[in-house]
Amino acid sequence: MSLRFIGKDPESPNNGSPTVWVDEEDDSIVIQGWKIGDETTLAAIEEAGPIPGHETVLRLPRRMAPFLREVCGDGVGDR
């Protein structure tokens, strides 16, 4: 796996997560974020369908959108 670091949440305490990478081998986006544990949010998400056991849902702050745009080639760092 060839992960390329894109960026960490600049407002996260102690320079921790959330974090965004791109996997150069399969061109996928890898995201570390906050685990969603409150039942109200999970119920709203599952209205679109169940979350399979091999998947999870993460929460990222909107301020990280520039990192996602970079990975997707929309803005700084276009590929």
Side-chain angles (χ1 to χ4, degrees):
M1 182 182 303
S2 177
L3 286 179
R4 180 170 55 94
F5 172 78
I6 300 299
K8 287 189 178 194
D9 178 0
E11 295 183 27
S12 184
N14 302 319
N15 201 23
S17 69
T19 307
V20 176
W21 299 265
V22 64
D23 185 330
E24 300 284 1
E25 283 186 25
D26 67 6
D27 206 32
S28 63
I29 300 169
V30 178
I31 298 175
Q32 175 186 351
W34 301 308
K35 183 177 180 177
I36 297 173
D38 75 89
E39 294 303 318
T40 303
T41 301
L42 289 172
I45 290 167
E46 290 182 347
E47 285 179 13
I51 301 168
H54 65 280
E55 295 182 4
T56 192
V57 178
L58 302 173
R59 183 183 300 271
L60 294 176
R62 185 182 298 248
R63 64 183 169 261
M64 292 192 67
F67 299 129
L68 299 174
R69 285 188 205 105
E70 180 178 340
V71 168
C72 295
D74 180 23
V76 178
D78 281 355
R79 297 169 56 178

